[in-house]
Amino acid sequence: MRRKVLTAEEAVALIHDGDMITTSGFIGTGVPEALLTALEARFLDGRGPRNLGLLFAAGQGDSKERGLNHLGHEGLLKRVVGGHWGLIPKVAALALAGKIEGWNLPQGVISHLYRDIAAGKPGTLTRVGLGTFVDPRLEGGRINAISTEHLIEVMEVGGREYLFYKAFPIDVALLRGTTADEAGNVTMEREALILDNLAQAMAARNSGGLVIVQVEQIAESHSLNPRAVVLPAPLVDAVVVAPPALHMQTFATGYSPAFAGAIRAPSGALPPLPLDARKIVARRVAFELPINGVVNLGIGMPEGVSAVASEEGLLAHLTMTAEPGVIGGQPASGLDFGAAINTDAIIAQNAQFDFYDGGGLDMACLGMAEADAAGNVNVSRFGPKLAGAGGFINISQNARAVVFAGTLTAGGLEIAVEDGRLRILREGRARKMREAVAQVTFSGRRAAAEGRPVLYVTERCVFALTPEGIELTEIAPGIDLERDVLGQMDFRPLMREVVEMDGRIFREAAMELARDLLHLDFADRIQRDNDANRLYINFEKLRVRNREDVARIRARVEELVAGQSRPVDVIVNYDGFRVDEEVEADYARMVEDLERRYYGAVTRYSGSAFTRMKLGRTLRRSRAPHLFETAEDAQAFLAGRGA
């Protein structure tokens, strides 16, 4: 049996000038730090290799020295294709200076490209990236002028447009596991993520290349549980035992059994967030969480949504996910981001993107570096900074609903929350709402044309995407519209009816959001006055999201009126009411059926002209859908009918 256990120095000596390498990792999780350190040391010692190609999906670094930053030396790299560049400023600087060829492609596309290279396919065909900067009709994902090769083509299949991302061979895969046996079988029991290790190993092996794996320990040949083996021995050419300092579980944590799924952390293990701009944004986003739905939370500002959901007792009613393969539980943040505690499952990153690309996400909350009047969002490149798209394009383009989260201005913003009101102490230096974004990472026009629900949530206001562009819909208590919102934007948004953000967001106490989202209060909202033979329905600030909500409303009404000998008169408060477009027809049919079977005179009211207009359209087949502006008008109508 060929000797596979090598030192890091011996392993990286197998890499030749001009090789195309690929590396595993997600931020600081699963990064083969010992191999990258040895590769850097060999190059700096003058022994090569030189002019390497590099293919990576997720960002792998700490924004300083670790991860792929080890490769950020002129002459070491020649060509880089990657998903997220923000954590590897040393490599990004080379690309921005035109010293290496560089492309920024969607993380999920690269993740799938590994599988397609392994399978000997010519490339990856997908709709991901259409209308964004990776579309070859815009920038083709190229970072600089010397990157002239066209890696992406527009194709038409079955009358629909797709993007075709070309495959290319991989010469060396630098990967990571926990235990390897002497034969080269590798397990990952102490790793927080599986990532694309298997697909990358197959891609290198079937390209005629090498697979080098960094591990913690060596076991006797063929002694590992075959169900635990992630990388089988035929795929592995070399194994390197790394010292603990170069094999941390993440760049922030040496080892957490909770991240490895070995234990479940107790509830409340993560401290509550302070009531700052981040928590304000996270709280407003939490109002959009789909009960019993599947959610993705991006890096940065969206990370706080998970903490708020935990504080509000909502995690048990949601499936939180993260793109590297986390399903369920509570995602971690910072340099631990990508890991999670109390998960239901950890799957391969490429499988997670299968689920995302196919529309499996009910909602995604992503960061927002800048947005424009058309609803386009840029998180990938602005000024001298190259952040990269990461999984943003896959996720934002395919989730059923999208919420972008961020402050309205950036750079020195200071706020205070006093007595439930928000005050801007110092305005940020940079505006985020621009006339036109510097790069299109999310196409507002495309999303609007598809009818996708999109919100833009900041600490002081909320915008919604419409076919005509961005509309201002909410403003925080204490905020001056002209000075604090419109005066901090490069364009004037659409404005019809701007309402105040929920006051609970701006108070220290828990919001009791579960009561709202789980509709635990229908018994209070829907009540009957038997003496007056009248049904009072209070739908103020209620959101009907799905058929289950419709069924709960029907059940409560029938509980109160079924079996009655005469019709009951009804008065409904629709102030702040919302019904999601997907269930408008179901809601209307339910109302019509209740009217036919149980109701006498029916009157409805809302102070919002916009709400009255929408309800009039939704309930157009309802019997005399009277919609008044005030409760007094509605009461007078019933009184006038002798009710």
Side-chain angles (χ1 to χ4, degrees), residues 5 21 25 34 38 47 83 105 120 162 201 286 315 370-371 406 424 584 610:
V5 181
I21 69 171
R47 294 178 292 160
L105 305 186
Y162 289 81
L315 284 181
E370 59 179 19
I424 308 299
E584 276 186 359
F610 185 63

Side-chain angles (χ1 to χ4, degrees), residues 339-350:
I341 62 172
N342 302 341
T343 58
D344 295 324
I346 302 292
I347 65 175
Q349 180 171 248
N350 48 69

Side-chain angles (χ1 to χ4, degrees), residues 209-481:
L210 299 173
V211 177
I212 304 171
V213 186
Q214 166 183 324
V215 297
E216 290 185 18
Q217 56 194 358
I218 301 296
E220 182 183 355
S221 290
H222 308 297
S223 64
L224 300 177
N225 182 343
R227 290 295 186 95
V229 171
V230 177
L231 299 177
L235 301 181
V236 178
D237 297 285
V239 172
V240 172
V241 178
L246 299 179
H247 200 91
M248 294 176 64
Q249 192 179 39
T250 76
F251 281 161
T253 301
Y255 175 71
S256 165
F259 287 165
I263 64 169
R264 288 188 70 84
S267 59
L270 298 179
L273 298 176
L275 188 56
D276 55 10
R278 181 177 180 229
K279 184 168 186 174
I280 290 170
V281 171
R283 278 183 153 186
R284 176 58 187 84
V285 172
F287 279 80
E288 304 302 316
L289 290 171
I291 295 302
N292 299 322
V294 182
V295 178
N296 170 273
L297 301 177
I299 194 170
M301 189 71 75
E303 295 172 31
V305 178
S306 176
V308 168
S310 178
E311 291 176 30
E312 297 290 335
L314 290 169
L315 284 181
H317 305 283
L318 302 164
T319 299
M320 295 291 189
T321 68
E323 58 265 36
V326 171
I327 296 179
Q330 184 170 355
S333 60
L335 289 177
D336 284 329
F337 184 72
I341 62 172
N342 302 341
T343 58
D344 295 324
I346 302 292
I347 65 175
Q349 180 171 248
N350 48 69
Q352 187 81 300
F353 277 111
D354 286 334
F355 179 68
Y356 285 3
D357 289 356
L361 285 172
D362 294 293
M363 190 195 98
C365 177
L366 303 169
M368 175 180 65
E370 59 179 19
D372 64 21
N376 300 315
V377 174
N378 173 25
V379 299
S380 46
R381 187 171 182 174
F382 19 90
K385 184 176 180 181
L386 172 61
F392 185 97
I393 297 176
N394 297 82
I395 296 164
S396 65
Q397 189 173 318
N398 294 299
R400 295 173 188 171
V402 184
V403 180
F404 295 111
T407 54
L408 190 68
T409 64
L413 173 66
E414 294 181 11
I415 68 162
V417 181
E418 302 165 348
D419 297 323
R421 299 176 70 80
L422 181 64
R423 193 156 59 93
I424 308 299
L425 301 179
R426 186 172 72 177
E427 198 58 78
R429 295 183 297 274
R431 294 182 176 186
K432 289 190 173 184
M433 291 295 176
R434 313 304 297 265
E435 190 63 41
V437 295
Q439 189 170 68
V440 178
T441 328
F442 170 80
S443 173
R445 290 184 177 89
R446 187 175 185 85
E450 294 171 349
R452 193 180 307 278
V454 180
L455 292 181
Y456 309 77
V457 174
T458 79
E459 82 291 355
R460 68 187 81 174
C461 58
V462 179
F463 302 90
L465 180 65
T466 76
E468 297 81 31
I470 279 185
E471 177 183 355
L472 178 64
T473 59
E474 299 176 32
I475 187 170
I479 290 298
D480 182 271
L481 175 62

Side-chain angles (χ1 to χ4, degrees), residues 45-103:
D45 197 35
R47 294 178 292 160
R50 298 182 61 84
N51 298 323
L52 297 178
L54 171 63
L55 175 65
F56 67 92
Q60 300 157 32
D62 63 353
S63 300
K64 298 175 183 176
E65 304 292 334
R66 291 183 287 183
L68 295 178
N69 289 297
H70 289 295
L71 308 186
H73 299 284
E74 193 170 350
L76 175 53
L77 296 173
K78 179 182 179 182
R79 172 189 180 97
V80 178
V81 179
H84 192 275
W85 293 68
L87 298 165
I88 52 171
K90 291 190 173 183
V91 178
L94 295 175
L96 290 170
K99 294 181 178 179
I100 60 173
E101 298 175 357
W103 288 263

